[in-house]
Amino acid sequence: MRTKHKYITYRPDKGTYIVSMPIDGKKAYFTCKSLEEAIQKRDSLAELHKLDKNIVKGLSAHATTKTVPTLAEAFTEFVEKEIRPRVALSTYSKYNLTKNNYCKHLGNIKIDRITHESWQSLFSTRQEEYHLARSYIIDDVRRFKAMYNYFIGLGIVKDNPLDKPIKLHTTHKIKRRAFTEEEKELFLAFAKEYDFKFYVIFSLYFSTGARRSELLALQWQDIDTFNKCIRIRRSIGRGTVDGKFTELIGNTKTVGSVRDIPISTDMLNMLLSLRKEAYKLTDFVFTNTHHIKYEHMSLNTIQRAFRIIADRANLDKCLTIHCIRHYVASKLITSGVDLATIQSIGGWKSPSVLLSVYAHSNEDAKRKALEKTLF
């Protein structure tokens, strides 16, 4: 990790500083235990080899004038400078949510005054109060730990209170189940009755397993009528921009999420029918009826439609819109499709993620397996 000190970088995994300087035409590297030691080493080398003396002096003097920020100030700077330039809007939004959840408790305290015990208490309280999974809290711990490492690299603080483990209790993770065939057919029947536009988008969801943020970002140029496929090239993300919560079209969740997904002739014809019936022609396949805020259909709109349709169909309340993606993964796996192909269809990061998160067996599958082998 780069620091503001010329020739000095910080290694958070080792907790050490590396001085790397060109000496006699070659790069020389020196490992130091603290920033002060690294600055002294760099200055002595610069003096010895007549390297950038004036620049080095200026940086050394500047280091003594820095003040320690509060948690709110520190996390904001860390996110804006280190995180926002390299992540999708949805990830950036998660960091902002983390900031809001914790800075309301410790936001006005300088980060070098927040002890490991204070962090332990806050993380434990939050897990208990909101019944959160251990993995969920660990993600927050990692974000704040990275923030401390950032400011250690800048020479503003010396220690990371989150280097010590945070103790959290293990919670029972309730995995979402997939739609059954009967539930799928019932849901689509009620979707068709509710609004043909939503019938089309949910039919596409059930037939491709693409993320809803990817489907809503589809543009007409992404519908390949010759090869009968949809091209996933972008995604909708949520986040706060200039103090306002909004939805923006951005990159897909991962590089592997850029893909082409084959669709049936019937599915292609349903998509093309939307263009004929469109209230107003736009670049987007799925739009809000009156385009009040966004040209594309918003994530909230499809979420509301899902809940209305599911309630009208009297489906299990535990079924969420994401369970449609589970349905596709489970259907493909139980049909014997190889993991590499399933991964490429759904845009999952790796086969292990696909198996651990989405491949849930159901009672019918277990019964069929036993009937086939043991009964």
Side-chain angles (χ1 to χ4, degrees):
M1 181 185 291
R2 289 187 299 175
T3 71
K4 291 185 178 179
H5 304 275
K6 193 172 179 67
Y7 302 131
I8 299 175
T9 56
Y10 177 64
R11 287 199 58 179
D13 57 329
K14 301 285 186 180
T16 58
Y17 292 84
I18 308 298
V19 179
S20 57
M21 299 181 69
I23 297 176
D24 297 330
K26 296 181 180 180
K27 272 268 185 171
Y29 297 89
F30 304 90
T31 302
C32 304
K33 294 182 179 179
S34 66
L35 180 61
E36 289 78 7
E37 181 185 344
I39 292 173
Q40 289 176 3
K41 183 68 175 178
R42 181 201 59 189
D43 290 355
S44 63
L45 289 169
E47 180 67 31
L48 181 63
H49 297 278
K50 310 299 181 186
L51 300 171
D52 292 340
K53 288 169 63 178
N54 292 330
I55 295 175
V56 168
K57 268 189 177 180
L59 287 171
S60 298
H62 178 66
T64 62
T65 62
K66 295 176 181 177
T67 58
V68 178
T70 64
L71 179 62
E73 294 168 341
F75 199 73
T76 299
E77 178 179 334
F78 164 66
V79 170
E80 294 300 322
K81 292 185 177 180
E82 283 289 306
I83 303 301
R84 186 175 184 179
R86 58 183 177 83
V87 301
L89 182 62
S90 56
T91 302
Y92 172 64
S93 180
K94 289 179 183 178
Y95 276 84
N96 280 327
L97 181 61
T98 298
K99 174 187 171 183
N100 293 337
N101 288 335
Y102 292 88
C103 285
K104 61 185 177 183
H105 301 288
L106 300 174
N108 294 326
I109 304 176
K110 292 183 181 293
I111 57 174
D112 62 342
R113 302 295 299 273
I114 307 175
T115 64
H116 176 268
E117 290 72 22
S118 296
W119 280 116
Q120 175 68 70
S121 175
L122 183 54
F123 286 129
S124 296
T125 300
R126 181 161 170 75
Q127 184 185 26
E128 292 288 345
E129 185 175 347
Y130 295 97
H131 308 287
L132 298 173
R134 182 178 183 276
S135 59
Y136 187 92
I137 299 295
I138 287 298
D139 284 343
D140 290 338
V141 174
R142 287 173 182 153
R143 288 171 188 140
F144 285 112
K145 185 175 182 179
M147 177 203 72
Y148 273 104
N149 287 335
Y150 169 78
F151 283 99
I152 290 173
L154 295 180
I156 293 177
V157 296
K158 294 182 179 180
D159 302 311
N160 190 333
L162 295 175
D163 278 340
K164 296 179 183 178
I166 293 293
K167 297 178 181 178
L168 301 166
H169 64 263
T170 302
T171 53
H172 176 64
K173 186 175 181 180
I174 301 175
K175 293 185 177 181
R176 296 187 186 99
R177 69 173 180 85
F179 272 73
T180 65
E181 282 296 326
E182 293 77 11
E183 288 169 333
K184 169 199 164 185
E185 295 302 326
L186 186 61
F187 179 88
L188 289 178
F190 274 86
K192 192 171 187 178
E193 184 181 294
Y194 175 67
D195 189 318
F196 182 73
K197 175 173 58 179
F198 288 109
Y199 171 68
V200 174
I201 191 170
F202 284 120
S203 294
L204 186 62
Y205 204 166
F206 272 110
S207 62
T208 63
R211 300 174 181 90
R212 61 185 179 274
S213 58
E214 296 170 340
L215 295 180
L216 296 182
L218 281 175
Q219 298 182 3
W220 287 112
Q221 64 182 355
D222 303 320
I223 310 300
D224 187 336
T225 56
F226 181 79
N227 294 301
K228 295 180 184 177
C229 68
I230 59 172
R231 296 194 179 102
I232 305 298
R233 297 294 184 268
R234 61 196 70 81
S235 178
I236 295 175
R238 289 168 167 164
T240 303
V241 178
D242 298 328
K244 295 182 179 180
F245 184 81
T246 188
E247 290 184 5
L248 293 175
I249 307 297
N251 295 329
T252 54
K253 186 175 182 179
T254 64
V255 174
S257 297
V258 175
R259 62 202 187 279
D260 296 346
I261 309 177
I263 57 175
S264 68
T265 301
D266 288 344
M267 190 69 251
L268 176 61
N269 289 334
M270 279 197 287
L271 286 171
L272 295 178
S273 70
L274 290 182
R275 194 164 203 179
K276 296 177 183 177
E277 300 176 8
Y279 170 77
K280 176 182 177 183
L281 286 181
T282 73
D283 290 336
F284 292 96
V285 177
F286 302 107
T287 63
N288 285 323
T289 304
H290 301 294
H291 316 293
I292 297 172
K293 189 172 182 181
Y294 308 113
E295 196 172 356
H296 63 270
M297 182 185 290
S298 70
L299 294 168
N300 285 340
T301 298
I302 192 173
Q303 178 63 46
R304 283 196 299 269
F306 173 86
R307 185 43 54 199
I308 291 171
I309 295 166
D311 288 345
R312 288 185 180 182
N314 198 28
L315 294 179
D316 190 337
K317 296 292 185 184
C318 75
L319 288 172
T320 67
I321 194 169
H322 199 68
C323 292
I324 300 176
R325 189 162 156 84
H326 289 236
Y327 163 83
V328 175
S330 298
K331 183 76 172 177
L332 292 172
I333 289 172
T334 55
S335 298
V337 180
D338 64 276
L339 290 180
T341 300
I342 300 173
Q343 181 189 347
S344 67
I345 292 172
W348 285 282
K349 187 176 182 180
S350 67
S352 59
V353 170
L354 172 62
L355 280 175
S356 64
V357 180
Y358 295 100
H360 309 311
S361 61
N362 53 48
E363 294 303 318
D364 289 340
K366 286 188 283 187
R367 173 164 289 279
K368 288 177 182 178
L370 289 173
E371 287 176 346
K372 190 175 182 179
T373 56
L374 297 176
F375 287 2

